Amino acid sequence: MSIRVSHVHGEHLAVEAPNGTEILRYVYRPDPDAFEARKPYAHPVRTLAGRTVTGYRPSDHRWHKGLQMTASHLSGQNFWGGNCYVHGQGYLRLPDQVGSMRHDGFTGLTVTDERLDATEELTWVENGGREWAREVRGLAVHTVDEEAGAWTLDWAIALTNVHDEPLLFGSPTTAGREMAGYTGLQWRGPRDFTGGGVFTPDSEPGIDAAKVMGSQGPWLAFTTEHDETDGHSTLVFAHAPENLDESSAIHASHWFVRSEPIPTVAFSWAFFEEFALPPGESFGYRYRVVIADGAWDRDRVGRHLEDLPW
């Protein structure tokens, strides 16, 4: 038995597990509402048992769409979507400051019995139509393990400044709002995950997410018990080693995580401090998300990640 990959041209890629469950749909068709920051996203994402672990356009934040690459504060533009944070004024609806990420095409699609590797080219476009950055995105679905009840999604970004000025990456926190460092690769969970348990290599499951907010570490896990289906799911968000290497990473990453009032995790690359990307320069990060059935604990997460070499 092998995975199956389908491609609806101009719409999405989908991956089906050997048991017939569609575990990933990567949508690159432009969204209709520019205020939500048009960009590709992954939704629905499901466990092998078929439980959906991503949320799409929730009533509290319509611009939250599954798993998506974002930049909430970028040289005065908002590539996250929705309202913009302005210090002293709060969140304002500023549609002329919301940018977009244009899908330019797939330059590589390789499928084997056990793995999908996709390479996508995108352009980050500010609201006035100027092209600010070129991105090469890597997506890989692999280690679909029915015995473990888990599968793995790797997500890589290589971003180059094609603007004639430095690009300044920040967050609401760098703009003046405390502990709101959201930016970078962001996951939004469905309502089942509200109030779920969060833990890291240094904590046990169930810790208050606020105690993890703004911290650093190689991985963070989020687990919940679902309504209706009598089952649990666990998501593990992990950095590639070089992301946390001060000698190689362009900027230190911190966790942005909430369990209540909404469930969300972001690999924040500009939580507490802005960083600049000069014209012609590039940066890159690699991330891993393990999607698992069951309520995993710290030891199980650690063992599983050890068996997944980068």
Side-chain angles (χ1 to χ4, degrees), residues 190-270:
R191 296 191 188 278
D192 284 1
F193 279 82
T194 304
V198 174
F199 60 100
T200 69
D202 302 317
S203 66
E204 294 295 338
I207 190 172
D208 185 351
K211 295 181 179 179
V212 182
M213 177 72 87
S215 66
Q216 293 178 289
W219 60 261
L220 177 149
F222 203 125
T223 185
T224 199
E225 183 174 10
H226 293 279
D227 293 332
E228 300 184 8
T229 61
D230 296 325
H232 293 76
S233 294
T234 300
L235 272 68
V236 182
F237 304 90
H239 281 283
E242 69 271 14
N243 291 5
L244 301 177
D245 184 348
E246 294 183 0
S247 66
S248 62
I250 185 172
H251 200 259
S253 293
H254 298 78
W255 295 115
F256 176 84
V257 54
R258 285 182 177 151
S259 177
E260 295 186 60
I262 65 171
T264 186
V265 174
F267 297 83
S268 178
W269 54 34

Side-chain angles (χ1 to χ4, degrees), residues 47-48 53 148-151 232-236 290-296:
T47 70
L48 293 177
V53 296
W151 64 278
H232 293 76
S233 294
T234 300
L235 272 68
V236 182
V290 177
I291 298 93
D293 286 297
W296 287 21

Side-chain angles (χ1 to χ4, degrees), residues 158-177:
L159 193 73
T160 301
N161 181 357
V162 297
H163 192 23
D164 55 5
E165 298 178 3
L167 293 176
L168 300 177
F169 291 83
S171 69
T173 294
T174 66
R177 186 187 174 203

Side-chain angles (χ1 to χ4, degrees), residues 23-24 45-49 51-54 67 141 143-145 148-154 187 193 233-237 288-294 296 304 308:
I23 55 176
L24 173 73
V45 177
R46 299 186 179 94
T47 70
L48 293 177
R51 300 184 179 103
T52 300
V53 296
T54 49
L67 187 66
V141 173
T143 318
V144 181
D145 187 338
W151 64 278
T152 301
L153 171 65
D154 288 349
W187 163 78
F193 279 82
S233 294
T234 300
L235 272 68
V236 182
F237 304 90
R288 174 162 289 168
V289 184
V290 177
I291 298 93
D293 286 297
W296 287 21
H304 192 82
L308 289 175

